[in-house]
Structures are given as structure tokens and as C-alpha cells.
Amino acid sequence: MIWNSESPLVGIRFEAIEVDCAGTHHLREGQPIYAARFLKVLKFHAPGLAAVKDASGSYHIRLDGSAAYVERFADAFGFYDGLAAVRDASGWFHVSVEGRAAYLERYAWCGNFQGGRMPVRDLAGLYFHLDREGNRTYGEQYLYAGDYRDGIACVRRLDGICIHIDPAGRQVHPTACLDLDVFHKGFARARDYRGWFHLCMDGKPAYGARFAEIEPFYNG
């Protein structure tokens, strides 16, 4: 049974569409929403497209299971703010909802476009962020660069130390740590030479204790 026109998919939340346990198609209230079957499917993201893979390659489909464009890639991932990371023989890059490359450059890896920025890794193994046109947003290069969350990203400098940066690449606060996460509920997981702790938005430790392991804050 396929989800029928009496209960249309138009207007529903994409979170209500699930990937079936075999990972070959999508379900709505336990029923397939289209007849096609794929080798692999990922979740739907706005504006209503999901990454899939079949014998022809990887691409994105609409809610009815039809291909959103004719291009095919070696790998394709979900859309975030109108751009999706893909990989072909030339490398990694981002595409629009029409399947067109957002910029000319190719990379060894690309992350998701979030908070107006996307992390990439170049062929030398170094990370930095791009804007949606593919322009570098600062001059520095890092051993690692993560996604932005609420305008702040975590990066690992070439000396191995982690800091928080803003969208222009400026250090948000003076604190640098051996390990560091993005802020969640106003606190970031951090590690110094004594152990793990939670860091406040101003870069000050939330308390004096240190631990072998900690989790992000939830509900206080």
C-alpha cells in the first residue's frame, strides 16, 4: 500500500516522513509514500528533497519519489539552507536544489551549509569555511573546522589547540582548550590539561571541577 491522495503529503512536516528499516524508501505513518525502491535513502530536508542512491548513482528525489534533476553523483547528502554536499570524480562540492554546482572549486571533503557557512577540507588536509558562493570567509586554515551553531564554530588550530570563532573567523573569547565543542544550551564541552568541564559563553569555566567525561547540558 502506498500513501494515497486522500491523505496528501503537501503541508506535512518532513520530520513525519521516516526512512524504512531497510533504508530503501520513505514511510508516512508506516506506509510507503511512493512505489520506487532505492539502494539507500536519507531523510527529507527542506525544501522537500531527500538524497538517494540507486544503480545510476546518487541524487535527490521529491516527495513522490521522482528525481529532482538529471545529474548523478558518487555520493549525495541532505539539503541545508538550500545547498547539499555531493561528491563526484572531481571531488566534493555543494549543489543547489536544481543539481547545479554552487561554485567551481572542488575539495577533499565538504560539510553541511549551516549558519551561513560550510566547512571544507582542501587537498592538503586543512579546513576552513566558505560562504554560499564558495568564497573563503577568513584567511586562516585549521586542522579541523566544524559547523556553525548560533554564529559560533569550533576549530582546531595548527598547534592542536581548539578555539571558538565567529562567522568572520575572529576568536569569540580568549579561552583555548585541548578539546572543545560548540555551545549547547549556553554551555560548551571543553577539556584542558586537568580534564573535561563546561565552558560559559564568555569563555569562563562554569565551575572549578574537572571530569574524565561529560555530556552536553539538557534541561538545566
Side-chain angles (χ1 to χ4, degrees), residues 58-60 69-73 98-100:
S58 295
Y59 55 101
H60 292 89
Y69 47 75
V70 298
E71 288 78 11
R72 295 295 183 268
F73 307 100
E98 295 82 19
R100 294 194 292 266

Side-chain angles (χ1 to χ4, degrees), residues 2 34 38 51 59 75 82 84 98-99 104 110 136-137 176 200 212:
I2 296 174
Y34 48 72
F38 300 92
Y59 55 101
D75 286 299
E98 295 82 19
L104 296 176
C110 287
R136 291 184 58 165
T137 55
C200 298

Side-chain angles (χ1 to χ4, degrees), residues 152 162-165 170-177 180 183 188 199-204:
I152 297 175
C162 298
I163 60 172
H164 285 123
I165 62 171
R170 297 181 295 253
Q171 190 168 343
V172 173
H173 53 73
T175 303
C177 298
L180 191 62
F183 286 100
L199 194 71
C200 298
M201 296 286 292
D202 60 3
K204 296 178 181 179

Side-chain angles (χ1 to χ4, degrees), residues 7-219:
S7 301
L9 292 166
V10 177
I12 71 165
R13 295 180 299 109
F14 298 123
E15 307 90 87
I17 300 177
E18 301 176 333
V19 174
D20 89 300
C21 61
T24 62
H25 58 286
H26 293 91
L27 307 173
R28 166 72 165 139
E29 294 184 1
Q31 300 299 327
I33 64 173
Y34 48 72
R37 295 295 181 268
F38 300 92
L39 297 174
K40 177 184 178 182
V41 302
L42 299 181
K43 290 183 178 181
F44 275 94
H45 290 261
L49 299 176
V52 302
K53 187 170 189 174
D54 62 17
S56 69
S58 295
Y59 55 101
H60 292 89
I61 61 169
R62 305 181 184 93
L63 289 168
D64 62 2
S66 63
Y69 47 75
V70 298
E71 288 78 11
R72 295 295 183 268
F73 307 100
D75 286 299
F77 298 89
F79 275 92
Y80 291 83
D81 292 345
L83 293 176
V86 299
R87 180 179 66 87
D88 66 11
S90 66
W92 288 73
F93 57 103
H94 290 84
V95 296
S96 66
V97 294
E98 295 82 19
R100 294 194 292 266
Y103 45 80
L104 296 176
E105 292 80 7
R106 298 295 183 265
Y107 295 96
W109 172 85
C110 287
N112 295 323
F113 183 73
Q114 296 189 86
R117 299 289 185 268
M118 46 198 167
V120 297
R121 184 176 72 239
D122 66 16
L123 297 179
L126 297 177
Y127 291 74
F128 44 88
H129 289 91
L130 309 177
D131 62 19
R132 67 179 306 113
E133 285 75 39
N135 302 310
R136 291 184 58 165
T137 55
Y138 48 76
E140 293 78 12
Q141 298 181 107
Y142 297 103
L143 294 178
Y144 172 79
D147 292 334
Y148 276 90
R149 184 189 181 105
D150 298 327
I152 297 175
C154 181
V155 296
R156 187 179 295 277
R157 299 184 317 211
L158 299 183
D159 62 3
I161 299 301
C162 298
I163 60 172
H164 285 123
I165 62 171
D166 69 10
R170 297 181 295 253
Q171 190 168 343
V172 173
H173 53 73
T175 303
C177 298
L178 298 178
D179 285 296
L180 191 62
D181 283 349
V182 292
F183 286 100
H184 184 263
K185 308 294 186 181
F187 299 94
R189 294 194 324 133
R191 183 175 71 90
D192 62 14
Y193 70 96
R194 295 172 51 211
W196 285 93
F197 62 100
H198 289 94
L199 194 71
C200 298
M201 296 286 292
D202 60 3
K204 296 178 181 179
Y207 43 77
R210 295 295 184 270
F211 301 94
E213 185 177 351
I214 60 173
E215 296 292 333
F217 260 91
Y218 286 90
N219 301 318

